[in-house]
Amino acid sequence: MRAMVVREYGTAPVLCEVADPAGPAADVLAASLNPAGMAVAAGLNPFRRPELPLVLGLDGVARRADGALVHFFWPAAPYGAFAERVPLAGAETVPLPDRLDASRAAALGISGVAAWTALAGTGALRPGESVLVLGANGQVGRIAVQAARLLGARRVTAVVQHEAARQAPLRLGAGTVVTSQDLATLTERLLEPDQQGYDVILGTLRGPVIPAAVDAAATGARVVHLGNSAGALATLAGPAIRKNGVSILTYAIFTSPARDRSDAFARLAQHAAAGELTVGYRETGLETLPAIWDDFAAGRAKTRIIVTPNEATPS
C-alpha cells in the first residue's frame, strides 16, 4: 500500500510502498495534518518516538470491513493515518454519527479534541463563566471559540495576530476579538468588554502575549497552557498570579485520559452533524502531501489540510 513514511527523524517524509498491516485493517478515508504529527516527524514528540521507519499520521477516519465509519486515534506503530490502510487494533475508535462526512470528522480530530478537553477537563469550564482564547485564528483556537459557547460560556473573547484575522472568530461566536499587535495596551483592551476578567484562559501562544492575558484574569482563574506558537518562553510576574489566585495548568492531548478524548470527539461530532459547529479544511491526496509539507511546517498553510489516501487530489 502507499504511505507517507519518515525514515530519519528531522527529515521530510517520503511517499512510498510499504507492506500491508498484518491482520485486519481498515481503509483510511481522511486524516488530519496537524502540528502534533509534525512533531512526530521531527522526533520531538516524546509520546510517539518509535523505531523507524514509521508511517505518519496520528488520527483520521476509516471504513471498517463491515462498512462502519469510525474516527481513530493513535494507531499502533509503525502504522499511521497517512496510508491507504491502517490496523485499528489497539487504537481509540469512535463511531461517526449520521450526516457527518469523513473529511469533516477528520478535521475535528486532534485540534478539536484538544480544544474541548482543555476547556472542559483541564480548565474545568462551568456554564456562565467567561473564556479568553489566545491564538483564535489557529486550528485549536477556532474550535475552542465554538466549544466554549457550546459548553455554556457567558462571554468568549478571542485574540488573533492580525487585523485581517478578526472576522473568522466573530463568525464562530466570539463576542469580542482583539489583536496582539500592541502588547502595551493588550490587557486594557481585553478588560474593556468584561472588567471582571476571565475565568478560563486558553493559551496556544505563550511568549509575550501570556503576561498581558494573565493580568486580565478573574479571581480564581485557570490558565491552560497547551501551545507556544508565539514563543516558548514567557515572564510572569508573581504578584499578578498571587493577587487573583490564578492557577497555571498544563495540557497535552497524549496525557489526557483516553475516555475523555473519546467522549470529547463524540460530542464534537454530534455538534458538527447538527450544524452547531463548523470547521474549514481543504483536501489533498497522498501524492501531493510532500509538496505542501514544508509550507505546513513553516506555518504558511492557512487552511486545515485533510489527507485522503484512497482518492486522487481534487482539482
Side-chain angles (χ1 to χ4, degrees):
M1 66 177 181
R2 297 183 308 154
M4 285 294 296
V5 176
V6 60
R7 292 173 173 165
E8 181 180 349
Y9 286 124
T11 64
V14 295
L15 177 61
C16 60
E17 292 283 335
V18 300
D20 277 319
D27 293 330
V28 180
L29 304 183
S32 173
L33 181 60
N34 51 64
M38 302 294 291
V40 171
L44 300 177
N45 190 319
F47 303 102
R48 190 171 177 87
R49 203 177 190 280
E51 293 184 5
L52 299 178
L54 172 70
V55 178
L56 294 177
L58 290 167
D59 74 318
V61 172
R63 180 186 289 113
R64 294 183 185 271
D66 61 4
L69 301 187
V70 297
H71 178 265
F72 64 90
F73 174 70
W74 217 337
Y79 295 101
F82 297 156
E84 293 175 318
R85 287 173 291 282
V86 65
L88 296 182
E92 298 169 22
T93 60
V94 180
L96 262 59
D98 295 337
R99 305 183 310 279
L100 185 62
D101 63 80
S103 290
R104 185 171 289 106
L108 295 172
I110 285 181
S111 299
V113 170
W116 191 280
T117 52
L119 287 170
T122 307
L125 175 61
R126 297 182 290 271
E129 291 189 316
S130 57
V131 175
L132 174 60
V133 178
L134 307 180
N137 50 303
Q139 292 189 19
V140 174
R142 290 191 181 194
I143 295 182
V145 168
Q146 300 174 82
R149 286 295 192 192
L150 292 167
L151 287 164
R154 169 177 54 84
R155 170 178 288 279
V156 181
T157 296
V159 174
V160 297
Q161 187 175 11
H162 301 295
E163 187 70 23
R166 292 185 68 252
Q167 292 306 310
L170 287 172
R171 289 194 299 268
L172 296 174
T176 305
V177 181
V178 302
T179 72
S180 59
Q181 292 299 294
D182 185 2
L183 289 173
T185 65
L186 181 55
T187 300
E188 178 183 354
R189 288 183 286 127
L190 290 175
L191 288 173
E192 282 179 1
D194 196 332
Q195 293 296 321
Q196 296 179 358
Y198 298 92
D199 300 298
V200 178
I201 299 174
L202 193 70
T204 68
L205 299 176
R206 203 160 177 81
V209 178
I210 194 67
V214 169
D215 284 341
T219 300
R222 290 84 71 198
V223 179
V224 184
H225 166 55
L226 73 162
N228 42 255
S229 59
L233 301 179
T235 300
L236 297 177
I241 298 173
R242 294 194 304 271
K243 72 177 181 179
N244 288 332
V246 175
S247 299
I248 306 295
L249 308 169
T250 60
Y251 173 86
I253 192 170
F254 300 98
T255 58
S256 181
R259 180 174 179 176
D260 289 354
R261 289 193 294 257
S262 295
D263 288 348
F265 182 84
R267 292 281 301 275
L268 290 162
Q270 290 291 346
H271 285 301
E276 299 166 341
L277 188 153
T278 63
V279 58
Y281 61 89
R282 70 180 178 91
E283 296 176 333
T284 187
L286 277 176
E287 67 276 8
T288 56
L289 186 53
I292 63 177
W293 185 267
D294 289 342
D295 280 345
F296 188 88
R300 294 189 291 267
K302 302 303 181 183
T303 305
R304 190 185 312 263
I305 296 171
I306 299 300
V307 181
T308 53
N310 284 287
E311 294 183 14
T313 300
S315 58

